[in-house]
Amino acid sequence: ALILVAHVTKEGLIAGPKAAEHLVDAVLSFEQGDGDMRVLRASKNRFGSAEEVGLFRMGEAGLEEVSDPSGIFLVRRDTGKMPIGVAVAPVHEGSRVLMVEIQALTVSAKAGFTRVYSERIEAGRVSRIAAILEKHTGLRFSDQDIYVNVAGGMRLSEPGIDLALACSLFSARSDVALPANTALAGELSLAGELRPVRQMRRRAKAAAALGFTRLLGPREPATEAPEWAQETDIASALKVLFSQ
């Protein structure tokens, strides 16, 4: 086996010529999460899936595999209440469903220049979700600095986190917490519609296994016995969540 080690840019891309990426059988990235968490990703794999994620802890004896990572990225709270700006999403990563906490904070921008501070979720995506909320709910984000974080240091890119990200931003801006024990999954279109995402039943099962009593997601007309509460757009989803 021949292993080539390379540097990465601030955007997480391999620096230098791309020729080596086309020659090799696999491109692996080893990321450091919060604390002792380590994440191994395959962005290219000629002989297998490129969607699998390996989760490890750095202990005294070296790397140790996390055998049951489903709830490792959740923050356990004794109060039973969700803080303002926090939403939980069941994220489909490779062959696993992980429950991940998304945190948002909004503050008034200084000197009229707004910025988005987000390392674990692409900043452009955060700006898009904020624009959708401003258009379809009337809640203004264009005069706010936006901070977004993912508990545990997990980097998220799949479409299914859109609804949870939107709800965390709405909660932070309106200063109202989300209902406890509620998880959120769904993709948002620019028209404010909730679009289906893959493996919703597995997401619902993973959420229930960790004590979440409700999963809110997109409507699927073909589903006869849904395991999740279904809504068609972001406005109706927010009305259900924040009218309680």
Side-chain angles (χ1 to χ4, degrees), residues 85 104-106 126 129-130 133 139 141 146-148 164-174:
L105 172 68
T106 62
V126 175
I129 298 299
L133 287 173
L139 195 61
F141 286 87
I146 300 175
Y147 298 81
V148 172
L165 175 58
C167 291
S168 66
L169 288 170
F170 188 91
S171 171
R173 187 72 179 91
S174 61

Side-chain angles (χ1 to χ4, degrees), residues 89-230:
V91 178
H92 191 264
E93 288 282 352
S95 58
R96 300 187 180 104
V97 174
L98 308 175
M99 301 300 295
V100 178
E101 182 177 291
I102 299 176
Q103 305 164 349
L105 172 68
T106 62
V107 295
S108 298
K110 299 172 179 60
F113 181 73
T114 62
R115 295 189 63 180
V116 174
Y117 302 87
S118 178
E119 294 182 358
R120 303 302 178 181
I121 301 175
E122 184 184 4
R125 185 177 193 175
V126 175
S127 298
R128 173 172 61 82
I129 298 299
I132 292 172
L133 287 173
E134 186 162 337
K135 175 67 176 179
H136 297 286
T137 68
L139 195 61
R140 189 172 180 180
F141 286 87
S142 55
D143 59 350
Q144 300 288 303
D145 283 340
I146 300 175
Y147 298 81
V148 172
N149 183 47
V150 179
M154 186 75 174
R155 180 164 55 87
L156 303 180
S157 60
E158 72 129 330
I161 67 168
D162 283 358
L163 179 59
L165 175 58
C167 291
S168 66
L169 288 170
F170 188 91
S171 171
R173 187 72 179 91
S174 61
D175 209 31
V176 179
L178 282 157
N181 298 323
T182 297
L184 306 155
E187 181 182 359
L188 274 183
S189 72
L190 293 181
E193 298 170 318
L194 274 178
R195 301 185 68 251
V197 292
R198 60 179 179 168
Q199 301 291 346
M200 275 299 296
R201 282 188 170 85
R202 288 193 62 198
R203 296 174 198 252
K205 184 177 180 180
L210 289 176
F212 289 87
T213 56
R214 180 171 62 168
L215 173 64
L216 184 65
R219 180 168 295 174
E220 294 185 4
T223 305
E224 297 180 357
E227 291 88 354
W228 66 94
Q230 302 185 10

